[in-house]
Amino acid sequence: MQYAYSLLETTTLSVDENGRRAGFSSGSYFIQLFCKSAGTTPLQYRQQFEQSSKH
């Protein structure tokens, strides 16, 4: 999962592609597990990271 965080922070790949590169075969399963881990969706995580890195 840590690799998925890194991909979301450093690439503009789609959420599904991030999930595939992190080893998940299903985009919806990746999103489900990511939400449990981060408490937010992958897209929301990326947006929050982008906002915090601008300040």
Side-chain angles (χ1 to χ4, degrees):
M1 189 60 71
Q2 191 61 37
Y3 185 56
Y5 284 100
S6 177
L7 287 172
L8 289 166
E9 294 169 2
T10 60
T11 71
T12 59
L13 298 170
S14 71
V15 169
D16 282 343
E17 183 61 24
N18 278 321
R20 278 193 288 279
R21 289 188 183 202
F24 297 91
S25 59
S26 165
S28 61
Y29 184 61
F30 165 64
I31 292 169
Q32 180 183 7
L33 289 181
F34 191 93
C35 286
K36 286 183 180 180
S37 173
T40 186
T41 68
L43 184 57
Q44 290 170 333
Y45 178 84
R46 175 182 275 160
Q47 291 168 342
Q48 290 170 355
F49 178 81
E50 289 172 353
Q51 287 295 322
S52 68
S53 65
K54 289 181 183 178
H55 298 315

mmCIF file of all heavy atoms in Angstrom:
data_model
loop_
_atom_site.group_PDB
_atom_site.id
_atom_site.type_symbol
_atom_site.label_atom_id
_atom_site.label_comp_id
_atom_site.label_asym_id
_atom_site.label_seq_id
_atom_site.Cartn_x
_atom_site.Cartn_y
_atom_site.Cartn_z
ATOM 1 N N MET A 1 0.827 -1.195 0.000
ATOM 2 C CA MET A 1 0.000 0.000 0.000
ATOM 3 C C MET A 1 0.872 1.260 0.000
ATOM 4 O O MET A 1 0.492 2.256 -0.582
ATOM 5 C CB MET A 1 -0.936 -0.031 1.208
ATOM 6 C CG MET A 1 -1.987 1.044 1.198
ATOM 7 S SD MET A 1 -3.122 1.045 -0.197
ATOM 8 C CE MET A 1 -4.102 -0.391 0.135
ATOM 9 N N GLN A 2 2.028 1.179 0.652
ATOM 10 C CA GLN A 2 2.909 2.348 0.698
ATOM 11 C C GLN A 2 3.318 2.789 -0.711
ATOM 12 O O GLN A 2 3.428 3.981 -0.983
ATOM 13 C CB GLN A 2 4.151 2.043 1.547
ATOM 14 C CG GLN A 2 4.971 3.277 1.858
ATOM 15 C CD GLN A 2 4.185 4.320 2.651
ATOM 16 O OE1 GLN A 2 3.391 3.996 3.510
ATOM 17 N NE2 GLN A 2 4.418 5.575 2.345
ATOM 18 N N TYR A 3 3.511 1.828 -1.600
ATOM 19 C CA TYR A 3 3.856 2.157 -2.988
ATOM 20 C C TYR A 3 2.708 2.914 -3.649
ATOM 21 O O TYR A 3 2.933 3.851 -4.409
ATOM 22 C CB TYR A 3 4.199 0.880 -3.757
ATOM 23 C CG TYR A 3 4.672 1.123 -5.163
ATOM 24 C CD1 TYR A 3 5.757 1.959 -5.412
ATOM 25 C CD2 TYR A 3 4.045 0.527 -6.249
ATOM 26 C CE1 TYR A 3 6.207 2.185 -6.707
ATOM 27 C CE2 TYR A 3 4.478 0.745 -7.540
ATOM 28 C CZ TYR A 3 5.563 1.578 -7.762
ATOM 29 O OH TYR A 3 5.999 1.809 -9.041
ATOM 30 N N ALA A 4 1.482 2.543 -3.352
ATOM 31 C CA ALA A 4 0.316 3.238 -3.902
ATOM 32 C C ALA A 4 0.285 4.691 -3.424
ATOM 33 O O ALA A 4 0.001 5.603 -4.211
ATOM 34 C CB ALA A 4 -0.972 2.520 -3.507
ATOM 35 N N TYR A 5 0.591 4.918 -2.159
ATOM 36 C CA TYR A 5 0.670 6.291 -1.645
ATOM 37 C C TYR A 5 1.703 7.075 -2.445
ATOM 38 O O TYR A 5 1.460 8.200 -2.862
ATOM 39 C CB TYR A 5 1.072 6.311 -0.160
ATOM 40 C CG TYR A 5 -0.003 5.928 0.807
ATOM 41 C CD1 TYR A 5 -0.054 4.652 1.345
ATOM 42 C CD2 TYR A 5 -0.943 6.854 1.223
ATOM 43 C CE1 TYR A 5 -1.028 4.302 2.275
ATOM 44 C CE2 TYR A 5 -1.931 6.515 2.150
ATOM 45 C CZ TYR A 5 -1.952 5.228 2.664
ATOM 46 O OH TYR A 5 -2.914 4.892 3.578
ATOM 47 N N SER A 6 2.856 6.476 -2.628
ATOM 48 C CA SER A 6 3.938 7.141 -3.350
ATOM 49 C C SER A 6 3.533 7.473 -4.786
ATOM 50 O O SER A 6 3.816 8.567 -5.284
ATOM 51 C CB SER A 6 5.179 6.244 -3.340
ATOM 52 O OG SER A 6 6.214 6.833 -4.078
ATOM 53 N N LEU A 7 2.880 6.540 -5.458
ATOM 54 C CA LEU A 7 2.441 6.789 -6.832
ATOM 55 C C LEU A 7 1.437 7.943 -6.887
ATOM 56 O O LEU A 7 1.506 8.784 -7.789
ATOM 57 C CB LEU A 7 1.821 5.530 -7.435
ATOM 58 C CG LEU A 7 2.777 4.409 -7.794
ATOM 59 C CD1 LEU A 7 2.001 3.157 -8.194
ATOM 60 C CD2 LEU A 7 3.722 4.826 -8.900
ATOM 61 N N LEU A 8 0.529 7.975 -5.948
ATOM 62 C CA LEU A 8 -0.456 9.051 -5.927
ATOM 63 C C LEU A 8 0.201 10.410 -5.685
ATOM 64 O O LEU A 8 -0.257 11.426 -6.196
ATOM 65 C CB LEU A 8 -1.518 8.782 -4.856
ATOM 66 C CG LEU A 8 -2.485 7.653 -5.177
ATOM 67 C CD1 LEU A 8 -3.264 7.255 -3.937
ATOM 68 C CD2 LEU A 8 -3.433 8.049 -6.294
ATOM 69 N N GLU A 9 1.268 10.406 -4.928
ATOM 70 C CA GLU A 9 1.962 11.652 -4.599
ATOM 71 C C GLU A 9 2.886 12.132 -5.714
ATOM 72 O O GLU A 9 3.125 13.326 -5.833
ATOM 73 C CB GLU A 9 2.784 11.463 -3.318
ATOM 74 C CG GLU A 9 1.936 11.222 -2.096
ATOM 75 C CD GLU A 9 2.741 10.780 -0.889
ATOM 76 O OE1 GLU A 9 3.986 10.701 -0.984
ATOM 77 O OE2 GLU A 9 2.119 10.492 0.144
ATOM 78 N N THR A 10 3.377 11.214 -6.532
ATOM 79 C CA THR A 10 4.434 11.587 -7.478
ATOM 80 C C THR A 10 4.084 11.431 -8.948
ATOM 81 O O THR A 10 4.897 11.773 -9.802
ATOM 82 C CB THR A 10 5.709 10.762 -7.199
ATOM 83 O OG1 THR A 10 5.411 9.369 -7.353
ATOM 84 C CG2 THR A 10 6.237 11.032 -5.800
ATOM 85 N N THR A 11 2.905 10.903 -9.268
ATOM 86 C CA THR A 11 2.531 10.721 -10.666
ATOM 87 C C THR A 11 1.158 11.323 -10.936
ATOM 88 O O THR A 11 0.429 11.674 -10.002
ATOM 89 C CB THR A 11 2.472 9.227 -11.064
ATOM 90 O OG1 THR A 11 1.326 8.617 -10.442
ATOM 91 C CG2 THR A 11 3.738 8.486 -10.668
ATOM 92 N N THR A 12 0.822 11.401 -12.196
ATOM 93 C CA THR A 12 -0.520 11.832 -12.600
ATOM 94 C C THR A 12 -1.298 10.661 -13.204
ATOM 95 O O THR A 12 -2.297 10.867 -13.887
ATOM 96 C CB THR A 12 -0.446 12.986 -13.617
ATOM 97 O OG1 THR A 12 0.295 12.553 -14.767
ATOM 98 C CG2 THR A 12 0.197 14.214 -12.998
ATOM 99 N N LEU A 13 -0.840 9.446 -12.946
ATOM 100 C CA LEU A 13 -1.525 8.253 -13.436
ATOM 101 C C LEU A 13 -2.926 8.174 -12.847
ATOM 102 O O LEU A 13 -3.170 8.675 -11.751
ATOM 103 C CB LEU A 13 -0.746 6.998 -13.057
ATOM 104 C CG LEU A 13 0.664 6.865 -13.627
ATOM 105 C CD1 LEU A 13 1.373 5.702 -12.957
ATOM 106 C CD2 LEU A 13 0.609 6.670 -15.129
ATOM 107 N N SER A 14 -3.810 7.502 -13.554
ATOM 108 C CA SER A 14 -5.164 7.323 -13.040
ATOM 109 C C SER A 14 -5.138 6.479 -11.773
ATOM 110 O O SER A 14 -4.173 5.746 -11.512
ATOM 111 C CB SER A 14 -6.041 6.630 -14.089
ATOM 112 O OG SER A 14 -5.652 5.270 -14.232
ATOM 113 N N VAL A 15 -6.194 6.581 -11.004
ATOM 114 C CA VAL A 15 -6.307 5.792 -9.774
ATOM 115 C C VAL A 15 -6.248 4.305 -10.110
ATOM 116 O O VAL A 15 -5.557 3.537 -9.431
ATOM 117 C CB VAL A 15 -7.606 6.150 -9.016
ATOM 118 C CG1 VAL A 15 -7.866 5.166 -7.885
ATOM 119 C CG2 VAL A 15 -7.521 7.574 -8.488
ATOM 120 N N ASP A 16 -6.939 3.877 -11.172
ATOM 121 C CA ASP A 16 -6.902 2.465 -11.567
ATOM 122 C C ASP A 16 -5.486 2.025 -11.919
ATOM 123 O O ASP A 16 -5.042 0.943 -11.533
ATOM 124 C CB ASP A 16 -7.834 2.201 -12.747
ATOM 125 C CG ASP A 16 -9.294 2.112 -12.340
ATOM 126 O OD1 ASP A 16 -9.580 1.939 -11.140
ATOM 127 O OD2 ASP A 16 -10.145 2.198 -13.237
ATOM 128 N N GLU A 17 -4.763 2.860 -12.661
ATOM 129 C CA GLU A 17 -3.390 2.517 -13.044
ATOM 130 C C GLU A 17 -2.486 2.468 -11.819
ATOM 131 O O GLU A 17 -1.620 1.605 -11.715
ATOM 132 C CB GLU A 17 -2.845 3.502 -14.072
ATOM 133 C CG GLU A 17 -1.463 3.174 -14.568
ATOM 134 C CD GLU A 17 -1.341 1.830 -15.276
ATOM 135 O OE1 GLU A 17 -2.353 1.319 -15.806
ATOM 136 O OE2 GLU A 17 -0.223 1.282 -15.300
ATOM 137 N N ASN A 18 -2.684 3.381 -10.891
ATOM 138 C CA ASN A 18 -1.922 3.333 -9.638
ATOM 139 C C ASN A 18 -2.168 2.012 -8.928
ATOM 140 O O ASN A 18 -1.232 1.390 -8.425
ATOM 141 C CB ASN A 18 -2.303 4.494 -8.715
ATOM 142 C CG ASN A 18 -1.597 5.771 -9.073
ATOM 143 O OD1 ASN A 18 -0.440 5.771 -9.429
ATOM 144 N ND2 ASN A 18 -2.307 6.868 -8.976
ATOM 145 N N GLY A 19 -3.415 1.609 -8.853
ATOM 146 C CA GLY A 19 -3.754 0.342 -8.209
ATOM 147 C C GLY A 19 -3.100 -0.841 -8.893
ATOM 148 O O GLY A 19 -2.544 -1.732 -8.234
ATOM 149 N N ARG A 20 -3.130 -0.853 -10.221
ATOM 150 C CA ARG A 20 -2.502 -1.947 -10.965
ATOM 151 C C ARG A 20 -0.994 -1.982 -10.712
ATOM 152 O O ARG A 20 -0.425 -3.044 -10.487
ATOM 153 C CB ARG A 20 -2.774 -1.803 -12.466
ATOM 154 C CG ARG A 20 -4.129 -2.338 -12.895
ATOM 155 C CD ARG A 20 -4.235 -2.461 -14.399
ATOM 156 N NE ARG A 20 -4.337 -1.156 -15.039
ATOM 157 C CZ ARG A 20 -5.452 -0.445 -15.142
ATOM 158 N NH1 ARG A 20 -6.573 -0.919 -14.650
ATOM 159 N NH2 ARG A 20 -5.463 0.731 -15.742
ATOM 160 N N ARG A 21 -0.357 -0.828 -10.751
ATOM 161 C CA ARG A 21 1.097 -0.782 -10.527
ATOM 162 C C ARG A 21 1.466 -1.167 -9.101
ATOM 163 O O ARG A 21 2.572 -1.637 -8.858
ATOM 164 C CB ARG A 21 1.645 0.599 -10.863
ATOM 165 C CG ARG A 21 1.619 0.856 -12.347
ATOM 166 C CD ARG A 21 2.316 2.122 -12.708
ATOM 167 N NE ARG A 21 2.198 2.356 -14.133
ATOM 168 C CZ ARG A 21 3.023 3.116 -14.816
ATOM 169 N NH1 ARG A 21 4.026 3.726 -14.213
ATOM 170 N NH2 ARG A 21 2.847 3.292 -16.113
ATOM 171 N N ALA A 22 0.554 -0.957 -8.180
ATOM 172 C CA ALA A 22 0.795 -1.342 -6.786
ATOM 173 C C ALA A 22 0.444 -2.806 -6.526
ATOM 174 O O ALA A 22 0.578 -3.288 -5.409
ATOM 175 C CB ALA A 22 0.007 -0.430 -5.848
ATOM 176 N N GLY A 23 -0.030 -3.507 -7.572
ATOM 177 C CA GLY A 23 -0.258 -4.942 -7.450
ATOM 178 C C GLY A 23 -1.696 -5.385 -7.265
ATOM 179 O O GLY A 23 -1.950 -6.548 -6.966
ATOM 180 N N PHE A 24 -2.647 -4.482 -7.434
ATOM 181 C CA PHE A 24 -4.052 -4.841 -7.287
ATOM 182 C C PHE A 24 -4.657 -5.090 -8.657
ATOM 183 O O PHE A 24 -4.484 -4.293 -9.568
ATOM 184 C CB PHE A 24 -4.825 -3.721 -6.580
ATOM 185 C CG PHE A 24 -4.342 -3.467 -5.183
ATOM 186 C CD1 PHE A 24 -3.356 -2.530 -4.937
ATOM 187 C CD2 PHE A 24 -4.861 -4.175 -4.120
ATOM 188 C CE1 PHE A 24 -2.895 -2.294 -3.662
ATOM 189 C CE2 PHE A 24 -4.406 -3.953 -2.828
ATOM 190 C CZ PHE A 24 -3.421 -3.014 -2.603
ATOM 191 N N SER A 25 -5.375 -6.199 -8.815
ATOM 192 C CA SER A 25 -5.949 -6.539 -10.112
ATOM 193 C C SER A 25 -7.274 -5.824 -10.366
ATOM 194 O O SER A 25 -7.690 -5.677 -11.506
ATOM 195 C CB SER A 25 -6.144 -8.050 -10.226
ATOM 196 O OG SER A 25 -7.000 -8.505 -9.194
ATOM 197 N N SER A 26 -7.908 -5.357 -9.311
ATOM 198 C CA SER A 26 -9.210 -4.693 -9.426
ATOM 199 C C SER A 26 -9.123 -3.269 -8.888
ATOM 200 O O SER A 26 -8.688 -3.057 -7.751
ATOM 201 C CB SER A 26 -10.261 -5.482 -8.636
ATOM 202 O OG SER A 26 -11.427 -4.716 -8.447
ATOM 203 N N GLY A 27 -9.535 -2.315 -9.701
ATOM 204 C CA GLY A 27 -9.541 -0.921 -9.273
ATOM 205 C C GLY A 27 -10.461 -0.689 -8.091
ATOM 206 O O GLY A 27 -10.117 0.041 -7.161
ATOM 207 N N SER A 28 -11.626 -1.318 -8.110
ATOM 208 C CA SER A 28 -12.575 -1.112 -7.012
ATOM 209 C C SER A 28 -12.058 -1.714 -5.711
ATOM 210 O O SER A 28 -12.247 -1.148 -4.634
ATOM 211 C CB SER A 28 -13.944 -1.686 -7.362
ATOM 212 O OG SER A 28 -13.871 -3.071 -7.601
ATOM 213 N N TYR A 29 -11.364 -2.842 -5.794
ATOM 214 C CA TYR A 29 -10.788 -3.453 -4.594
ATOM 215 C C TYR A 29 -9.666 -2.563 -4.049
ATOM 216 O O TYR A 29 -9.555 -2.374 -2.837
ATOM 217 C CB TYR A 29 -10.273 -4.855 -4.915
ATOM 218 C CG TYR A 29 -9.737 -5.595 -3.724
ATOM 219 C CD1 TYR A 29 -10.562 -5.884 -2.635
ATOM 220 C CD2 TYR A 29 -8.423 -6.025 -3.682
ATOM 221 C CE1 TYR A 29 -10.071 -6.568 -1.526
ATOM 222 C CE2 TYR A 29 -7.931 -6.713 -2.584
ATOM 223 C CZ TYR A 29 -8.763 -6.976 -1.512
ATOM 224 O OH TYR A 29 -8.277 -7.656 -0.420
ATOM 225 N N PHE A 30 -8.852 -2.017 -4.939
ATOM 226 C CA PHE A 30 -7.799 -1.102 -4.527
ATOM 227 C C PHE A 30 -8.390 0.098 -3.792
ATOM 228 O O PHE A 30 -7.930 0.473 -2.716
ATOM 229 C CB PHE A 30 -6.988 -0.637 -5.741
ATOM 230 C CG PHE A 30 -6.124 0.558 -5.462
ATOM 231 C CD1 PHE A 30 -5.079 0.492 -4.555
ATOM 232 C CD2 PHE A 30 -6.360 1.763 -6.101
ATOM 233 C CE1 PHE A 30 -4.287 1.601 -4.289
ATOM 234 C CE2 PHE A 30 -5.580 2.873 -5.850
ATOM 235 C CZ PHE A 30 -4.534 2.795 -4.943
ATOM 236 N N ILE A 31 -9.435 0.688 -4.354
ATOM 237 C CA ILE A 31 -10.064 1.855 -3.730
ATOM 238 C C ILE A 31 -10.622 1.483 -2.359
ATOM 239 O O ILE A 31 -10.467 2.222 -1.385
ATOM 240 C CB ILE A 31 -11.146 2.452 -4.642
ATOM 241 C CG1 ILE A 31 -10.489 3.059 -5.887
ATOM 242 C CG2 ILE A 31 -11.989 3.484 -3.906
ATOM 243 C CD1 ILE A 31 -11.472 3.450 -6.982
ATOM 244 N N GLN A 32 -11.254 0.323 -2.270
ATOM 245 C CA GLN A 32 -11.821 -0.128 -0.999
ATOM 246 C C GLN A 32 -10.735 -0.272 0.065
ATOM 247 O O GLN A 32 -10.882 0.220 1.188
ATOM 248 C CB GLN A 32 -12.533 -1.462 -1.205
ATOM 249 C CG GLN A 32 -13.157 -2.048 0.033
ATOM 250 C CD GLN A 32 -13.791 -3.402 -0.225
ATOM 251 O OE1 GLN A 32 -13.658 -3.974 -1.302
ATOM 252 N NE2 GLN A 32 -14.482 -3.920 0.760
ATOM 253 N N LEU A 33 -9.626 -0.921 -0.270
ATOM 254 C CA LEU A 33 -8.544 -1.106 0.695
ATOM 255 C C LEU A 33 -7.854 0.215 1.007
ATOM 256 O O LEU A 33 -7.469 0.463 2.155
ATOM 257 C CB LEU A 33 -7.524 -2.111 0.164
ATOM 258 C CG LEU A 33 -7.976 -3.552 0.117
ATOM 259 C CD1 LEU A 33 -6.860 -4.447 -0.411
ATOM 260 C CD2 LEU A 33 -8.428 -4.037 1.477
ATOM 261 N N PHE A 34 -7.712 1.064 0.002
ATOM 262 C CA PHE A 34 -7.083 2.359 0.230
ATOM 263 C C PHE A 34 -7.917 3.179 1.210
ATOM 264 O O PHE A 34 -7.373 3.804 2.118
ATOM 265 C CB PHE A 34 -6.906 3.118 -1.093
ATOM 266 C CG PHE A 34 -6.046 4.333 -0.955
ATOM 267 C CD1 PHE A 34 -4.692 4.265 -1.196
ATOM 268 C CD2 PHE A 34 -6.585 5.551 -0.569
ATOM 269 C CE1 PHE A 34 -3.880 5.381 -1.038
ATOM 270 C CE2 PHE A 34 -5.797 6.673 -0.416
ATOM 271 C CZ PHE A 34 -4.430 6.584 -0.646
ATOM 272 N N CYS A 35 -9.225 3.171 1.032
ATOM 273 C CA CYS A 35 -10.111 3.913 1.937
ATOM 274 C C CYS A 35 -9.969 3.418 3.373
ATOM 275 O O CYS A 35 -9.950 4.222 4.307
ATOM 276 C CB CYS A 35 -11.555 3.804 1.482
ATOM 277 S SG CYS A 35 -11.948 4.789 0.031
ATOM 278 N N LYS A 36 -9.858 2.114 3.545
ATOM 279 C CA LYS A 36 -9.685 1.567 4.892
ATOM 280 C C LYS A 36 -8.342 1.992 5.479
ATOM 281 O O LYS A 36 -8.238 2.275 6.672
ATOM 282 C CB LYS A 36 -9.783 0.041 4.867
ATOM 283 C CG LYS A 36 -11.192 -0.467 4.693
ATOM 284 C CD LYS A 36 -11.237 -1.973 4.738
ATOM 285 C CE LYS A 36 -12.657 -2.457 4.551
ATOM 286 N NZ LYS A 36 -12.747 -3.922 4.589
ATOM 287 N N SER A 37 -7.326 2.049 4.653
ATOM 288 C CA SER A 37 -5.987 2.392 5.116
ATOM 289 C C SER A 37 -5.832 3.887 5.391
ATOM 290 O O SER A 37 -5.304 4.281 6.421
ATOM 291 C CB SER A 37 -4.960 1.957 4.069
ATOM 292 O OG SER A 37 -3.678 2.412 4.402
ATOM 293 N N ALA A 38 -6.305 4.714 4.457
ATOM 294 C CA ALA A 38 -6.060 6.158 4.537
ATOM 295 C C ALA A 38 -7.238 6.944 5.102
ATOM 296 O O ALA A 38 -7.082 8.107 5.462
ATOM 297 C CB ALA A 38 -5.720 6.702 3.153
ATOM 298 N N GLY A 39 -8.401 6.333 5.132
ATOM 299 C CA GLY A 39 -9.584 7.053 5.594
ATOM 300 C C GLY A 39 -10.145 8.016 4.564
ATOM 301 O O GLY A 39 -10.974 8.861 4.882
ATOM 302 N N THR A 40 -9.689 7.883 3.328
ATOM 303 C CA THR A 40 -10.142 8.739 2.233
ATOM 304 C C THR A 40 -9.933 7.995 0.917
ATOM 305 O O THR A 40 -9.203 7.002 0.876
ATOM 306 C CB THR A 40 -9.365 10.078 2.234
ATOM 307 O OG1 THR A 40 -9.914 10.945 1.262
ATOM 308 C CG2 THR A 40 -7.888 9.876 1.958
ATOM 309 N N THR A 41 -10.556 8.454 -0.145
ATOM 310 C CA THR A 41 -10.364 7.808 -1.441
ATOM 311 C C THR A 41 -8.992 8.168 -2.002
ATOM 312 O O THR A 41 -8.401 9.182 -1.607
ATOM 313 C CB THR A 41 -11.437 8.240 -2.456
ATOM 314 O OG1 THR A 41 -11.241 9.621 -2.775
ATOM 315 C CG2 THR A 41 -12.841 7.980 -1.940
ATOM 316 N N PRO A 42 -8.480 7.384 -2.939
ATOM 317 C CA PRO A 42 -7.195 7.727 -3.548
ATOM 318 C C PRO A 42 -7.198 9.111 -4.205
ATOM 319 O O PRO A 42 -6.233 9.861 -4.070
ATOM 320 C CB PRO A 42 -6.980 6.628 -4.592
ATOM 321 C CG PRO A 42 -7.769 5.470 -4.092
ATOM 322 C CD PRO A 42 -8.963 6.075 -3.419
ATOM 323 N N LEU A 43 -8.277 9.460 -4.882
ATOM 324 C CA LEU A 43 -8.350 10.773 -5.530
ATOM 325 C C LEU A 43 -8.339 11.898 -4.506
ATOM 326 O O LEU A 43 -7.626 12.893 -4.658
ATOM 327 C CB LEU A 43 -9.591 10.870 -6.412
ATOM 328 C CG LEU A 43 -9.744 12.160 -7.212
ATOM 329 C CD1 LEU A 43 -8.543 12.400 -8.114
ATOM 330 C CD2 LEU A 43 -11.019 12.112 -8.038
ATOM 331 N N GLN A 44 -9.105 11.738 -3.429
ATOM 332 C CA GLN A 44 -9.109 12.751 -2.374
ATOM 333 C C GLN A 44 -7.739 12.849 -1.710
ATOM 334 O O GLN A 44 -7.283 13.939 -1.393
ATOM 335 C CB GLN A 44 -10.187 12.435 -1.337
ATOM 336 C CG GLN A 44 -11.586 12.635 -1.846
ATOM 337 C CD GLN A 44 -12.634 12.089 -0.885
ATOM 338 O OE1 GLN A 44 -12.380 11.167 -0.112
ATOM 339 N NE2 GLN A 44 -13.827 12.652 -0.941
ATOM 340 N N TYR A 45 -7.078 11.700 -1.535
ATOM 341 C CA TYR A 45 -5.733 11.698 -0.957
ATOM 342 C C TYR A 45 -4.786 12.511 -1.837
ATOM 343 O O TYR A 45 -4.030 13.337 -1.350
ATOM 344 C CB TYR A 45 -5.222 10.263 -0.806
ATOM 345 C CG TYR A 45 -3.820 10.195 -0.264
ATOM 346 C CD1 TYR A 45 -3.583 10.261 1.100
ATOM 347 C CD2 TYR A 45 -2.728 10.096 -1.132
ATOM 348 C CE1 TYR A 45 -2.286 10.220 1.601
ATOM 349 C CE2 TYR A 45 -1.428 10.060 -0.642
ATOM 350 C CZ TYR A 45 -1.221 10.120 0.718
ATOM 351 O OH TYR A 45 0.061 10.090 1.213
ATOM 352 N N ARG A 46 -4.838 12.267 -3.145
ATOM 353 C CA ARG A 46 -3.972 12.998 -4.073
ATOM 354 C C ARG A 46 -4.252 14.500 -4.015
ATOM 355 O O ARG A 46 -3.334 15.319 -3.966
ATOM 356 C CB ARG A 46 -4.165 12.487 -5.496
ATOM 357 C CG ARG A 46 -3.369 13.298 -6.521
ATOM 358 C CD ARG A 46 -3.607 12.818 -7.919
ATOM 359 N NE ARG A 46 -2.697 11.709 -8.178
ATOM 360 C CZ ARG A 46 -2.878 10.816 -9.135
ATOM 361 N NH1 ARG A 46 -3.940 10.874 -9.910
ATOM 362 N NH2 ARG A 46 -1.991 9.857 -9.335
ATOM 363 N N GLN A 47 -5.515 14.865 -4.002
ATOM 364 C CA GLN A 47 -5.877 16.280 -3.962
ATOM 365 C C GLN A 47 -5.401 16.925 -2.663
ATOM 366 O O GLN A 47 -4.882 18.042 -2.673
ATOM 367 C CB GLN A 47 -7.386 16.444 -4.129
ATOM 368 C CG GLN A 47 -7.859 16.084 -5.519
ATOM 369 C CD GLN A 47 -9.368 15.965 -5.643
ATOM 370 O OE1 GLN A 47 -10.073 15.819 -4.650
ATOM 371 N NE2 GLN A 47 -9.861 16.021 -6.863
ATOM 372 N N GLN A 48 -5.555 16.236 -1.555
ATOM 373 C CA GLN A 48 -5.089 16.763 -0.270
ATOM 374 C C GLN A 48 -3.567 16.897 -0.258
ATOM 375 O O GLN A 48 -3.031 17.879 0.243
ATOM 376 C CB GLN A 48 -5.545 15.854 0.876
ATOM 377 C CG GLN A 48 -7.029 15.908 1.122
ATOM 378 C CD GLN A 48 -7.507 14.826 2.082
ATOM 379 O OE1 GLN A 48 -6.745 13.961 2.511
ATOM 380 N NE2 GLN A 48 -8.786 14.852 2.404
ATOM 381 N N PHE A 49 -2.870 15.922 -0.834
ATOM 382 C CA PHE A 49 -1.418 15.979 -0.900
ATOM 383 C C PHE A 49 -0.972 17.163 -1.753
ATOM 384 O O PHE A 49 -0.052 17.892 -1.376
ATOM 385 C CB PHE A 49 -0.846 14.670 -1.469
ATOM 386 C CG PHE A 49 0.650 14.701 -1.594
ATOM 387 C CD1 PHE A 49 1.438 14.459 -0.485
ATOM 388 C CD2 PHE A 49 1.255 14.981 -2.806
ATOM 389 C CE1 PHE A 49 2.832 14.499 -0.586
ATOM 390 C CE2 PHE A 49 2.632 15.030 -2.920
ATOM 391 C CZ PHE A 49 3.423 14.784 -1.803
ATOM 392 N N GLU A 50 -1.622 17.365 -2.893
ATOM 393 C CA GLU A 50 -1.273 18.484 -3.767
ATOM 394 C C GLU A 50 -1.494 19.811 -3.062
ATOM 395 O O GLU A 50 -0.682 20.720 -3.180
ATOM 396 C CB GLU A 50 -2.066 18.419 -5.064
ATOM 397 C CG GLU A 50 -1.621 17.287 -5.984
ATOM 398 C CD GLU A 50 -2.523 17.090 -7.190
ATOM 399 O OE1 GLU A 50 -3.591 17.740 -7.276
ATOM 400 O OE2 GLU A 50 -2.164 16.277 -8.050
ATOM 401 N N GLN A 51 -2.597 19.933 -2.331
ATOM 402 C CA GLN A 51 -2.884 21.169 -1.606
ATOM 403 C C GLN A 51 -1.839 21.420 -0.523
ATOM 404 O O GLN A 51 -1.369 22.541 -0.357
ATOM 405 C CB GLN A 51 -4.284 21.126 -0.976
ATOM 406 C CG GLN A 51 -5.407 21.257 -1.973
ATOM 407 C CD GLN A 51 -5.408 22.615 -2.662
ATOM 408 O OE1 GLN A 51 -5.133 23.629 -2.052
ATOM 409 N NE2 GLN A 51 -5.704 22.609 -3.943
ATOM 410 N N SER A 52 -1.479 20.385 0.220
ATOM 411 C CA SER A 52 -0.523 20.569 1.302
ATOM 412 C C SER A 52 0.884 20.834 0.786
ATOM 413 O O SER A 52 1.665 21.523 1.440
ATOM 414 C CB SER A 52 -0.519 19.367 2.240
ATOM 415 O OG SER A 52 -0.002 18.229 1.581
ATOM 416 N N SER A 53 1.214 20.339 -0.386
ATOM 417 C CA SER A 53 2.561 20.562 -0.914
ATOM 418 C C SER A 53 2.707 21.945 -1.539
ATOM 419 O O SER A 53 3.819 22.397 -1.754
ATOM 420 C CB SER A 53 2.932 19.478 -1.937
ATOM 421 O OG SER A 53 2.099 19.570 -3.078
ATOM 422 N N LYS A 54 1.608 22.615 -1.811
ATOM 423 C CA LYS A 54 1.661 23.966 -2.372
ATOM 424 C C LYS A 54 1.920 25.002 -1.292
ATOM 425 O O LYS A 54 2.346 26.101 -1.570
ATOM 426 C CB LYS A 54 0.348 24.308 -3.098
ATOM 427 C CG LYS A 54 0.185 23.554 -4.389
ATOM 428 C CD LYS A 54 -1.099 23.938 -5.066
ATOM 429 C CE LYS A 54 -1.302 23.118 -6.335
ATOM 430 N NZ LYS A 54 -2.577 23.434 -6.983
ATOM 431 N N HIS A 55 1.628 24.665 -0.042
ATOM 432 C CA HIS A 55 1.762 25.637 1.057
ATOM 433 C C HIS A 55 3.079 25.510 1.750
ATOM 434 O O HIS A 55 3.773 24.735 1.934
ATOM 435 C CB HIS A 55 0.633 25.484 2.070
ATOM 436 C CG HIS A 55 -0.714 25.738 1.497
ATOM 437 N ND1 HIS A 55 -0.985 26.801 0.686
ATOM 438 C CD2 HIS A 55 -1.864 25.061 1.609
ATOM 439 C CE1 HIS A 55 -2.259 26.779 0.346
ATOM 440 N NE2 HIS A 55 -2.811 25.715 0.899
#
